[in-house]
Amino acid sequence: MKIGFIGLGIMGKPMAKNLVKAGYSLMVNNLTPAPVEELVACGAEAGTQREIAEQCDIIMTMVPNSPQVKEIMLGEDGVGAHMKEGSIFVDMSSINPVASKEIAAELAKRNIEMLDAPVSGGEPKAIDGTLSFMVGGKQEVFDTCKPILEKMGASVIRCGDVGAGNTTKLANQIIVACNIQALSEALMLAKMADVDPELVFAAIKGGLAGSTVMNAKAPMMLEGNDKPGFRIDLHIKDLNNALECAHTVGSPVPMTAAVQEVLQWMHAHEGGTKDHSAIVQYYEYLTGVKVAK
């Protein structure tokens, strides 16, 4: 079995490396050459998108959003036009589930199966191979691809048919964003009430308010560390997709809309490339008080 991997960014590069480490035959492609060269040094093979389409049994993408996935797969002379019948496309990007269904329908005309399999966990979990995969697609296709995904993730769950994976990812991103905003407000409240935010975090992290989000992001806020594990601009993209999907199906999302406005403010104030934990800086701007020591 030969796997094609397109998109070697912050997440894609370490994910692809884990597949090489697991012994898979991998052909890689990226817009910029440096990550490709790095993967080739690890044992992968470089290839054009057409070569990947023609030679690989399973093709994976890890790119920013719906337009990029559509262009790669369905664009003029795109990958989908050259894939072998019976091959499988696994999109690990986080995109609008409506787009996932559209791509799957076009590929089905050529007898090509598809899974939408977005991930959660950020760069650290991509590196150590403990991502969470939320997958949509046929059970038999999922069963074929699950062992491969397990080389990149600690959790691989089928959530339903194509589109279910990205719907689940949107739900995940809503929860993460709202958690980070609530955490920012809480730590700022502690600081302005002359209570040490670090002690507040230590006291509550083991209780009902504790969460993976809190454990990952509170230390960053307390250190003043906004180095991106997951950039604000990417979270804006995800919440745009969540809002669009929610409006399409008629689901109320007032909290999502509120935190999206904070993220947009950060983007407008040169914060789009920062980690999404930098939401706390919005509150620091409003109050003139720093949470970090």
Side-chain angles (χ1 to χ4, degrees), residues 270-292:
E270 300 182 352
T273 59
K274 296 178 179 179
D275 186 78
H276 49 184
S277 62
I279 285 175
V280 72
Q281 295 175 14
Y282 170 78
Y283 292 92
E284 292 175 340
Y285 171 83
L286 291 179
T287 62
V289 174
K290 294 282 188 181
V291 165

Side-chain angles (χ1 to χ4, degrees), residues 67-276:
Q68 289 81 17
V69 181
K70 283 187 171 181
E71 178 61 26
I72 289 168
M73 297 305 299
L74 306 180
E76 186 177 351
D77 202 37
V79 170
H82 302 287
M83 288 177 70
K84 298 177 287 188
E85 285 196 14
S87 57
I88 299 172
F89 171 52
V90 181
D91 179 34
M92 302 179 295
S93 318
S94 295
I95 70 174
N96 192 317
V98 174
S100 296
K101 293 177 182 179
E102 291 171 354
I103 295 166
E106 288 300 315
L107 294 178
K109 296 175 183 177
R110 298 196 65 251
N111 194 28
I112 297 166
E113 298 288 354
M114 176 177 169
L115 298 177
D116 63 312
V119 302
S120 178
E123 183 183 14
K125 289 184 178 292
I127 291 170
D128 63 22
T130 58
L131 291 165
S132 294
F133 281 88
M134 297 148 272
V135 188
K138 295 177 183 176
Q139 183 68 55
E140 59 269 28
V141 181
F142 172 77
D143 292 341
T144 297
C145 296
K146 185 180 180 183
I148 300 170
L149 299 179
E150 286 176 332
K151 300 304 180 184
M152 300 178 285
S155 172
V156 181
I157 305 295
R158 178 180 177 268
C159 303
D161 293 329
V162 170
N166 272 305
T167 300
T168 305
K169 177 60 186 288
L170 295 183
N172 180 86
Q173 295 303 81
I174 288 172
I175 293 168
V176 170
C178 291
N179 261 263
I180 294 174
Q181 182 169 359
L183 176 61
S184 299
E185 290 190 11
L187 294 183
M188 181 57 72
L189 170 65
K191 185 76 172 186
M192 296 190 72
D194 293 323
V195 179
D196 186 345
E198 196 163 344
L199 295 178
V200 170
F201 169 53
I204 68 176
K205 66 182 181 180
L208 188 59
S211 67
T212 301
V213 174
M214 180 185 288
N215 289 341
K217 301 305 175 180
M220 295 183 70
M221 294 177 184
L222 294 169
E223 295 166 5
N225 174 16
D226 58 20
K227 180 182 177 183
F230 191 80
R231 295 192 303 273
I232 280 174
D233 281 347
L234 286 177
H235 215 138
I236 288 173
K237 178 266 295 185
D238 287 343
L239 294 191
N240 278 337
N241 285 333
L243 290 165
E244 183 180 347
C245 182
H247 296 160
T248 300
V249 302
S251 179
V253 282
M255 289 178 67
T256 305
V259 70
Q260 179 74 317
E261 287 303 305
V262 175
L263 292 169
Q264 290 285 4
W265 186 93
M266 289 296 300
H267 170 84
H269 289 77
E270 300 182 352
T273 59
K274 296 178 179 179
D275 186 78
H276 49 184

